[in-house]
Each structure stands twice: as C-alpha cells, then as structure tokens.
C-alpha cells in the first residue's frame, strides 16, 4: 500500500518522500515499515499525550486556556472536561465529608469517561487504518472541504446595505457615425484585444506582463503579491469596448482568485486608484455585486494606514498585519501629497455603498488638516510628515508627487453634483497660485508648467504634468470671475506643448520629462528622461479638449499616437515601453503597464467615440481613468462635514 501524497496531521501537511528520492539515504530502511503501523504509533502517542496532559498539568486558572488553541480542536469531549474542572474548582475548604466523598466520585467518573474516550479514539484509528488509500483520500478531502466552508461562513463578508444605483447613462456603444472614425476606433479596440490576449496567455493572474520575455511581471507598489492588477485595471475598458467574453473571464478570475488576505506590503495610493477604482467602475458599469464586495473587502484592509498621529496615511500598508510605513526616499519620512490627496473619489463612493462614514471622514479629515496649514506662496509642498504634521522640503509640482491632488479637488466638486463648494474653492485657490508661480511661456511661445524647488522655478515639465491641460478644461465651467474661457485656452496651450514634446522625437512618442532652457524646448536632455512607458496623460488631455471644443486636431494628434504606439511599442507578446524616443532603433523596457489598458487605450477609444459614451455630466473619471457616477443629492446621504472632528 502506498501512502497518500499529503497526510494531514495536527494541522500540518507532511509530504511523503518518493522512492529513490529521499534526502536521507541512511534512513531508507525506515521507509519500508508498514505505513499503517507508523500512523497507529503516531495517533496513539498523540492521544496518550493529550490524556496525560490532562492529569499532570497544574490545575491553575492561568493554565485554563492553552495559548495555541488546542482546547478548541483536539478532542470532542473538551467542553465537558472544562465544565468538570470548573466544578471541581468551586469546592471550598469547609465542605462536609459527604460532599467531599461525592466530589471524589465525580472526579473518578470523569476519569472513567476520559479512558473510554481514549479507547474509542484508538478503535477509530484502527478502523481508519483498515481503509484503502482511495477511501482515506476521499475522507481527507471531505474534511478539508468542510473546514474551508466553515471558514467561509465564519469570515464571509457582511451583507452590504441596499442603496439606489445612481443614474447611469452611456455605458456602452458610442458609435461615432463617421466610417473613417469608426475604423480608427476599431483599430484601438484591436490593440486592446492584443494587449489583453497576450496578458491572458502569458501573465494571467500576475500584476503585469513582460511582453518580450512572455511572463508575468510585478513591481514594489504591489508588494510580493500576485493580485492580477492588469485584470482589475482593464475590466471597465473591456466593458466599454464591448469585449464581453474577455470581461467575463476577468470577472471569473476575480470571483475565484482575488484575495486580499495576503502578507504583502502595497502602495495605498496605487491600490486605491487601480483596484478600488477599477472594481467600483466595473460594478457600476455591469451591476455585478462581486466587484462591490471585493472593493469593500480591500478598502477595509487599507484603513489601518490612517493610524498615524495626524491621520495622514502611510504610503504603504501590509494587507495582513495592517502595519504602515512611508517610502524610504521620501523627504524626512514624509507622506506624499498626490498619494494621500488622491483618495476622495473612491472613499466617498465606499461610504455611499456601505453606509460606513469612516471612509468619508478619513478624506475630509485630510482636507481640514491641509486647510489649517500655512502654504508657502499659496502652494502645496509635495511632502507632509504624518507624525508631526509639518511640511517636508518645499518642492511643489503639478507632475509627479503632486498632480492628482489638484485633480481630485476639482473632481470632488464634480462628483458631488457641484455641491461640494469647499472642494471647488480649494481647487480654485490652488490653481491661482500655480498659475502665478509655476506656469510660464518659453522663448518659443510654448506654455509650460515648471516645478518649484526651494524658491526656484525649474523649467522642466514631466509627461505626468500633461494631464493638467485636460484638468484646466474640465474645471473651466464654474471657475471664478468669468474665467472659463481663460482656463479652456490654458488647457489648449498645455495640450499643444505636450503634442510638441511628442512631435519633436523620432518615434513621435513623448519623453518622460522635457526642458525649456538652453535653447532647447519640449525636448528631453538626460538619458534617463528619454523613455516612454505607454503613459496616458497627453492623450487624456487630447480627449478632454476634444469633448469641450470638438477641434479635429485633437483626433488627428490622437491618431498620430495610435500609429506610433502600434509601430514602435507593439511586440508579439503585447505592448512594451521604449527606452529612448529619440532613437530610430529603440530598445524595449519589456513591461506592459496595467495603466496602458486602463487609461491609454480607454482614452484613445473615447476620443474616437461619440460624446454619448460616458458623458461628463454623469461620470467623473478617477486618476486611473475609472469612471464613477456623479452622486446626485437625491440619492445619497453622507455624514455632514461639520460633525467631523478636527
């Protein structure tokens, strides 16, 4: 008889060595003993140990419960033992002889019962050993299944309260009508299918894809986990494009495999915008409850990150332990403005869907804290220490480290059906300071947004900063002092500058950062700024400008980007970033970023769709391009901000 491959024993799984493969050749004779005899010895020793422990462990209240929980799992009569022992401890010194005699009889009866249980357990063990290998395996599997089901019942998600679905308009189709435009849109859809199918084939379940090596890829923002970031990030794009079979594949993976009970340290910001944002958008678009449930499960895992002296969250949190910390490179242990300032949209929706005010209160507390702080020149520095509540180094950027903080102030107002006037006022004040101190025009007439570093303006603009053209256009309506036209024009100027950064390269793809000094304009100078990693920000601005102006140049510029990406970034295993956009023979970075499917291809598809697809009156896009519905006052109740503690 052969031993089962894995034998459960005391909660452990013990692999059996196969013949000839033992790491211990001097002990091979031992392996030839009867497995039944060995198992019988183990069971006998185990039960004897438990039996002996009952009589020889000191009967003291501090030993009443074993620290490691054996009393919960060892033998079925443990509760009666505990009751008997508890009764014996109730005997007082002054009891009479008759009571003492009765007490001894009770103890002897208890010992007889334990001996009987001991004999019964041995008999059951013997009967087990008479069974065939197949019968044993079947019983083991049945027990494992029962344990899993019991755990699911015990730890399963609490039912969420029913809430009315916000008015959902334009969740699919968006046929542009014009055949040429439709052909271009179909091309973008084909690119999405190539990116998804490649990930499905080579990286399924991994966070991202290495399209040349044709294997999974991950970065430290996801910790050491395999959480299927590309699946979650791409879901709403698949749905919008009508790729419903692919959407269902992703939904099934999420239902069966997406688990947040992992020992992984993740970026609170990235997990919020990609996972929670992606799951919420998929829920609203499709109505499938599994996405809402998963979003709430993950959100609960992020809440411990806010356990700081100021309430400003840590940059990273361990999903299992709840321990948080900040990036080692951040100024003096600081949290980052764009990270703790880019939670509002998702957290308001979490409060709406769960009825739990904690999410809303967390983000409102951050806003109130920032409102009290002094701001140099009205600007928000990128670093804030979560322990002291003081700014780190005075570095301000509308690109990396700062960007989406400003975006979410505007979008908090839009998502509230324009009732969150505090958010709008904070946005307007911030943009006024940015325009005064950071926005300049180059010698060649290009409007750019520089970076403020310790009282000095660095005349450099990042690809990430290019989203701001769309933001200015989106915020034009409702701006103070009748400046709507001014901000729409400013958005157009930023869009033009960013297009120039693409057009002045060999590949017609934009670099990571570009300068405006020494006679060079909209051109990268350093080698480590010449790469393109499939970023969406320039195309995002094209789309917003198209929606607000319908100027055909934005579709023309978008199509230039489509052709360049398809020509220089497409490989047999998906799409890859390139290391030098100024080289006619570029090398690949071999990463298909999840945001390429979530943002870049989505914005391109929307650019060549009609305005009826996800109209901006009804939808607000998070910073990862996940559309969330406007929450009209008629169907939402949120905690009153005045009741929030400072």
């Amino acid at each position: 008889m052969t031993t089962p491959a894995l034998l459960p024993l005391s909660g452990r799984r013990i692999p059996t060595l196969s013949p000839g493969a033992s790491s211990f050749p001097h002990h091979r004779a031992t392996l030839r003993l009867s497995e039944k005899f060995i198992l019988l010895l183990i069971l006998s020793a185990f039960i004897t140990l438990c039996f002996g422990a009952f009589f020889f462990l000191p009967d003291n209240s501090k030993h009443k419960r074993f620290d490691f929980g054996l009393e919960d799992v060892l033998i079925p009569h443990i509760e009666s033992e505990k009751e008997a022992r508890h009764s014996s401890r109730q005997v007082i010194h002054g009891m009479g002889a008759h009571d003492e005699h009765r007490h001894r009889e009770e103890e002897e009866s208890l010992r007889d019962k334990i001996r009987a249980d001991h004999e019964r357990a041995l008999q059951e063990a013997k009967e087990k050993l008479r069974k065939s290998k197949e019968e044993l395996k079947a019983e083991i599997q049945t027990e494992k299944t029962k344990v899993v089901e019991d755990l699911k019942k015990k730890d399963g998600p609490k039912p969420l309260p029913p809430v009315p679905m916000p008015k959902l308009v334009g969740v699919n189709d968006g046929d542009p009508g014009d055949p040429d435009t439709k052909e271009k849109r179909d091309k973008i859809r084909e690119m999405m299918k190539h990116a998804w199918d490649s990930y499905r084939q080579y990286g399924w379940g991994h966070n991202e894809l290495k399209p040349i090596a044709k294997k999974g890829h991950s970065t430290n923002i996801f910790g050491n986990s395999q959480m299927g970031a590309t699946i979650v990030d791409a879901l709403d794009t698949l749905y919008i494009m009508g790729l419903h079979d692919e959407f269902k594949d992703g939904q099934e993976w999420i239902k069966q495999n997406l688990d947040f009970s992992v020992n992984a340290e993740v970026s609170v910001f990235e997990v919020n915008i990609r996972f929670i944002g992606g799951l919420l958008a998929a829920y609203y678009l499709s109505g499938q409850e599994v996405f809402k449930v998963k979003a709430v499960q993950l959100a609960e895992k992020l809440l411990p990150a806010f356990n700081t002296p100021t309430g400003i969250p840590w940059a990273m949190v361990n999903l299992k332990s709840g321990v948080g910390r900040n990036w080692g490179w951040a100024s003096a242990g600081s949290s980052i403005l764009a990270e703790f300032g880019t939670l509002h949209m998702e957290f308001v929706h979490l409060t709406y869907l769960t009825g739990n005010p904690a999410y809303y209160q967390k983000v409102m507390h951050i806003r109130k804290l920032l409102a009290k702080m002094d701001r140099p020149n009205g600007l928000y520095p990128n670093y804030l220490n979560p322990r002291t509540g003081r700014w780190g180094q005075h570095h301000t950027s509308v690109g990396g480290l700062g960007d989406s903080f400003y975006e979410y102030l505007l979008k908090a107002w839009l998502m509230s059906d324009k009732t969150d006037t505090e958010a709008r006022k904070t946005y307007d004040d911030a943009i006024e300071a940015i325009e005064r101190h950071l926005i300049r025009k180059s010698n060649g007439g290009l409007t750019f947004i520089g970076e403020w570093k310790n009282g000095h303006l660095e005349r450099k603009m990042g690809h990430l900063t290019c989203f701001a053209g769309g933001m200015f256009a989106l915020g034009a309506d409702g701006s103070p002092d009748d400046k709507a036209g001014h901000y729409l024009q400013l958005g157009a100027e930023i869009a033009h500058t960013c297009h120039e950064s693409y057009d002045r390269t060999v590949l017609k793809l934009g670099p990571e950062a570009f300068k405006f000094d020494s006679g060079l304009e909209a051109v990268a100078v350093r080698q480590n700024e010449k790469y393109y990693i499939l970023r969406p920000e320039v195309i995002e601005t094209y789309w917003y400008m198209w929606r607000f102006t319908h100027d055909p140049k934005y579709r023309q510029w978008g199509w230039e980007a489509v052709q360049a990406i398809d020509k220089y970034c497409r490989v047999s295993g998906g799409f890859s970033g390139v290391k030098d956009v100024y080289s006619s023979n570029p090398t690949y970075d071999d990463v298909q970023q999840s945001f390429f499917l979530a943002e870049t291809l989505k914005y391109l598809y929307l650019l060549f769709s009609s305005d009826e697809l996800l109209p901006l009156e009804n939808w607000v896009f998070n910073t990862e391009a996940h559309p969330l519905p406007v929450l009209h006052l008629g169907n939402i109740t949120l905690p009153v901000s005045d009741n929030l503690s400072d």
Side-chain angles (χ1 to χ4, degrees):
M1 168 184 165
T2 3
T3 326
L6 289 171
L7 180 67
L9 185 64
S10 304
R12 297 171 185 252
R13 297 171 65 85
I14 309 297
T16 303
L17 295 171
S18 58
S22 173
S23 301
F24 309 99
H26 299 295
H27 297 283
R28 284 184 182 172
T30 309
L31 296 175
R32 298 193 186 100
L33 293 174
S34 163
E35 287 90 339
K36 290 184 177 179
F37 180 66
I38 293 170
L39 183 58
L40 183 58
L41 283 175
I42 293 170
L43 286 169
S44 299
F46 185 67
I47 295 168
T48 302
L49 175 64
C50 298
F51 182 72
F54 174 77
F55 288 103
F56 295 108
L57 283 176
D59 185 10
N60 185 295
S61 61
K62 72 179 180 181
H63 298 297
K64 184 170 62 176
R65 181 170 187 88
F66 300 115
D67 289 339
F68 44 88
L70 278 179
E71 65 178 353
D72 294 327
V73 297
L74 283 182
I75 45 181
H77 59 264
I78 195 73
E79 285 303 322
S80 61
E81 287 179 38
K82 285 162 66 179
E83 289 169 11
R85 294 174 67 183
H86 177 73
S87 299
S88 76
R89 282 196 289 271
Q90 303 305 310
V91 179
I92 57 174
H93 290 294
M95 69 168 59
H98 175 72
D99 290 337
E100 190 174 347
H101 177 70
R102 189 180 61 188
H103 180 63
R104 288 199 191 99
E105 284 182 344
E106 288 174 353
E107 285 192 341
E108 187 60 37
S109 172
L110 178 58
R111 288 190 182 93
D112 290 342
K113 182 179 182 303
I114 293 173
R115 288 189 193 99
D117 288 342
H118 182 116
E119 292 297 326
R120 187 169 61 252
L122 283 175
Q123 187 59 35
E124 288 175 359
K126 290 175 183 177
E127 289 173 5
K128 289 272 186 191
L129 293 174
R130 292 191 191 102
K131 294 184 179 181
S132 68
K133 172 184 174 182
E134 287 70 26
E135 288 174 317
L136 283 170
K137 287 177 74 173
E139 285 192 9
I140 290 168
Q141 187 57 48
T142 301
E143 286 300 316
K144 285 167 62 179
T145 304
K146 184 176 182 302
V147 169
V148 169
E149 290 302 316
D150 288 345
L151 285 173
K152 280 183 180 177
K153 288 176 187 174
K154 182 180 178 183
D155 300 326
K158 298 174 184 175
L160 296 173
V163 293
M165 183 70 87
K167 184 181 179 183
L168 304 179
V169 178
V171 297
N172 49 39
D173 195 20
D175 189 334
D178 172 52
D180 180 60
T181 305
K182 189 175 187 305
E183 184 180 345
K184 290 172 178 173
R185 190 174 83 143
D186 287 344
K187 172 60 181 175
I188 296 159
R189 188 174 183 267
E190 182 278 327
M191 291 167 69
M192 177 67 182
K193 188 156 173 36
H194 176 61
W196 174 264
D197 288 348
S198 298
Y199 170 79
R200 181 75 174 82
Q201 183 173 357
Y202 304 118
W204 193 241
H206 289 265
N207 289 315
E208 292 172 318
L209 171 68
K210 294 178 79 68
I212 296 171
K214 295 183 177 177
K215 62 180 183 180
H217 171 74
S218 192
T219 60
N220 64 343
I221 61 173
F222 306 116
N224 56 0
S225 62
Q226 291 186 18
M227 292 167 57
T230 294
I231 299 174
V232 181
D233 232 0
L235 275 174
D236 53 3
T237 307
L238 293 170
Y239 192 91
I240 292 162
M241 291 185 177
L243 295 169
H244 294 303
D245 288 341
E246 291 80 357
F247 179 87
K248 285 174 184 173
D249 279 350
Q251 178 179 334
E252 187 61 24
W253 186 91
I254 285 169
K255 181 180 178 182
Q256 299 296 335
N257 299 290
L258 187 54
D259 177 22
F260 305 119
S261 301
V262 290
N263 185 19
E265 190 179 53
V266 300
S267 162
V268 174
F269 163 74
E270 296 287 356
V271 164
N272 177 61
I273 66 172
R274 301 192 200 209
F275 282 83
I276 294 179
L279 289 165
L280 290 176
Y283 164 67
Y284 284 119
L285 291 169
S286 71
Q288 296 297 313
E289 288 283 317
V290 63
F291 301 128
K292 177 171 71 172
V293 170
K294 293 287 185 180
V296 173
Q297 286 175 354
L298 177 55
E300 289 174 354
K301 298 283 188 179
L302 297 187
L303 286 178
F306 292 82
N307 294 335
T308 66
T310 60
I312 297 293
W314 299 113
M316 292 175 286
V317 68
N318 186 296
L319 293 177
K320 188 164 190 171
S321 68
V323 174
R325 70 181 179 94
N326 276 339
W327 303 109
W329 49 263
S331 169
S334 291
S335 297
I336 295 165
L337 182 70
E339 295 193 340
F340 65 76
T342 310
L343 303 165
H344 189 99
M345 289 182 65
E346 298 82 2
F347 275 44
V348 166
H349 273 276
L350 287 166
T351 283
Y352 172 61
L353 292 172
T354 65
N356 181 359
Y359 303 105
Y360 180 75
Q361 288 169 347
K362 298 291 186 193
V363 292
M364 289 302 294
H365 176 81
I366 292 171
R367 187 195 292 180
K368 285 181 173 295
L369 186 147
L370 291 175
K372 293 177 179 178
M373 296 185 65
D374 292 329
R375 293 180 294 281
N377 295 319
L379 298 170
Y380 289 85
N382 290 338
Y383 299 106
L384 179 61
N385 191 300
R387 289 191 178 92
T388 65
R390 296 192 182 94
W391 297 118
Q393 65 188 66
H394 286 185
H395 173 205
T396 297
S397 170
V398 185
L401 307 180
D403 48 10
S404 46
F405 165 72
Y406 307 100
E407 175 188 357
Y408 269 40
L409 290 174
L410 172 64
K411 289 180 176 179
W413 175 70
L414 291 169
M415 201 179 71
S416 72
D417 198 18
K418 301 182 180 179
T419 60
D420 187 352
T421 53
E422 180 184 84
R424 177 76 213 208
K425 175 70 163 58
T426 308
Y427 168 79
D428 289 331
D429 291 347
I431 295 308
E432 183 182 339
I434 285 167
E435 191 169 7
R436 187 183 310 116
H437 296 287
L438 304 186
I439 297 180
R440 297 288 184 270
K441 209 176 267 292
S442 73
N443 293 334
L446 296 177
T447 301
F448 68 93
I449 308 174
E451 297 188 6
W452 191 265
K453 289 189 176 180
N454 296 316
H456 169 72
L457 182 68
E458 188 176 9
R459 299 170 66 86
K460 180 178 83 170
M461 186 169 173
H463 193 290
L464 289 166
T465 318
C466 286
F467 91 97
M471 179 178 72
F472 293 144
L474 184 63
D477 183 23
S479 55
D481 305 323
D482 297 322
K483 294 176 75 174
H486 166 74
Y487 283 113
L488 192 61
Q489 176 61 30
L490 182 58
E493 291 175 12
I494 297 298
H496 173 67
T497 298
C498 292
H499 175 256
E500 286 298 308
S501 78
Y502 274 52
D503 202 44
R504 297 180 186 192
T505 70
V506 172
L507 304 187
K508 305 302 178 187
L509 292 169
E512 182 69 5
F514 39 96
K515 292 286 188 73
F516 293 89
D517 56 17
S518 305
L520 294 173
E521 297 193 354
V523 174
V525 177
R526 298 177 180 174
Q527 188 60 42
N528 64 358
E529 294 174 342
K530 294 181 178 180
Y531 60 87
Y532 173 70
I533 57 171
L534 307 172
R535 284 205 189 277
E537 289 77 21
V538 173
I539 293 158
E540 176 183 353
T541 280
Y542 293 168
W543 173 61
Y544 278 113
M545 293 308 304
W546 164 258
R547 278 282 176 105
F548 290 113
T549 70
H550 286 165
D551 187 327
K553 72 183 177 187
Y554 296 115
R555 278 186 168 170
Q556 177 193 330
W557 291 352
W559 186 243
E560 290 171 7
V562 170
Q563 291 175 303
I565 291 169
D566 199 51
K567 182 175 181 179
Y568 295 111
C569 299
R570 186 179 188 129
V571 295
S572 63
F575 290 86
S576 170
V578 292
K579 293 182 179 179
D580 188 346
V581 293
Y582 300 97
S583 169
S584 56
N585 187 25
T587 54
Y588 297 110
D589 67 8
D590 196 18
V591 180
Q592 180 176 282
Q593 306 276 351
S594 79
F595 57 66
F596 177 65
L597 293 81
E599 301 185 75
T600 311
L601 291 173
K602 183 187 286 132
Y603 283 131
L604 283 168
Y605 187 81
L606 290 170
L607 180 60
F608 291 94
S609 298
S610 71
D611 292 1
E612 282 69 44
L613 182 57
L614 299 173
L616 293 173
E617 295 77 22
N618 302 91
W619 297 90
V620 184
F621 288 72
N622 88 337
T623 198
E624 189 79 356
H626 295 308
L628 299 176
V630 169
L631 293 174
H632 296 280
L633 283 178
N635 58 16
I636 181 170
T637 302
L638 289 176
V640 180
S641 59
D642 290 342
N643 293 338
L644 297 177
S645 61
D646 294 336

